[in-house]
Amino acid sequence: EQLGAQDCVLLCWSMARARHKDPRLFHALLLRVSGCARQLSPDSVSCLLWSCARVGHYHHASVSALVLAAAGSMERCSPHSLGRCLWACVALRHYEPRLLRAARVRALARMQLFEPHSLVLVMWSLAKFGVLDEQLAAAVAGQALQCLAGFTMQGLANMAWAVAKLQQQGGQQQQWGRTSGSRQGKKQQWQQQQPQQQQEHDSPGQPVQQ
């Protein structure tokens, strides 16, 4: 009970780093800190989300509070924290449009600061969620070309997979649009707003978060 919010964050992060699974302790720490999620720094919020994903612990109310806190503080989020939040949401299968919208605005405004790993996380997350955003994808691709020498082989493979997947999804939706009536078109528009989860074997490898 004497632990502060930052102490809880560090304990969750340490457990995740060590891959130490103690569901009861982790859950208790998460409940304690998620109640004051909006008071945490963007880096602390992203660390908590990463920790949840790393140990495979999903509690909807707590994760939702953290994700909304991340969305609300996105203007102060670093590229690394932004990418980590998106990666965690994909890993936890937690889709929140408000986070994606806030991350989009922040990424476009600060794209020149994104390094290879964060670029991979953004593009990979878009592909895994099935979010078609040509402007953001083009900005990520342009920045990736600027720092191409910094990519690992796995990073390049994940980036290439994400680009191909988004192009495939775009082609499928265009084909659907040409053959759909107004009623079906409304249904497809709604479906485009939902996460399109991909099977793990479709990807060359999930980006590793350190």
Side-chain angles (χ1 to χ4, degrees):
E1 295 182 0
Q2 297 179 355
L3 291 175
Q6 194 59 37
D7 297 322
C8 293
V9 172
L10 290 175
L11 279 173
C12 288
W13 180 82
S14 298
M15 291 174 68
R17 286 283 293 180
R19 294 187 180 276
H20 176 73
K21 291 192 174 182
D22 187 333
R24 292 182 62 184
L25 175 58
F26 192 93
H27 186 67
L29 293 169
L30 184 62
L31 285 179
R32 183 169 181 80
V33 74
S34 62
C36 57
R38 293 187 180 276
Q39 301 173 19
L40 299 173
S41 68
D43 190 58
S44 293
V45 172
S46 70
C47 279
L48 278 171
L49 287 171
W50 173 85
S51 299
C52 290
R54 178 93 167 192
V55 301
H57 186 91
Y58 183 78
H59 179 253
H60 181 76
S62 297
V63 170
S64 294
L66 291 171
V67 170
L68 291 179
S73 61
M74 189 58 65
E75 70 278 358
R76 297 183 286 115
C77 209
S78 68
H80 182 68
S81 293
L82 185 153
R84 189 160 52 188
C85 284
L86 293 179
W87 175 88
C89 284
V90 171
L92 292 168
R93 297 179 179 270
H94 186 93
Y95 180 74
E96 174 50 65
R98 283 169 287 188
L99 176 67
L100 294 177
R101 287 194 295 267
R104 177 186 190 276
V105 172
R106 181 63 172 173
L108 288 174
R110 309 285 285 181
M111 186 57 65
Q112 72 278 8
L113 300 179
F114 276 67
E115 38 73 39
H117 189 61
S118 296
L119 293 170
V120 170
L121 292 181
V122 171
M123 193 73 91
W124 182 84
S125 297
L126 291 177
K128 292 293 282 185
F129 273 138
V131 175
L132 304 178
D133 188 324
E134 293 183 0
Q135 183 181 7
L136 180 56
V140 171
Q143 178 65 9
L145 290 175
Q146 296 298 317
C147 53
L148 192 59
F151 277 84
T152 63
M153 293 302 295
Q154 184 63 60
L156 287 173
N158 278 308
M159 181 68 80
W161 172 85
V163 170
K165 201 67 178 178
L166 288 171
Q167 289 177 341
Q168 179 187 29
Q169 291 164 356
Q172 290 173 345
Q173 292 190 5
Q174 288 175 5
Q175 182 178 9
W176 178 277
R178 287 195 297 267
T179 59
S180 297
S182 59
R183 190 173 186 180
Q184 290 176 317
K186 289 181 179 179
K187 181 179 179 181
Q188 177 66 3
Q189 183 179 14
W190 179 85
Q191 289 175 337
Q192 290 175 13
Q193 297 170 358
Q194 308 306 309
Q196 299 177 13
Q197 297 292 349
Q198 307 299 327
Q199 296 299 319
E200 290 301 326
H201 59 72
D202 286 345
S203 171
Q206 181 169 327
V208 177
Q209 276 294 303
Q210 304 297 331

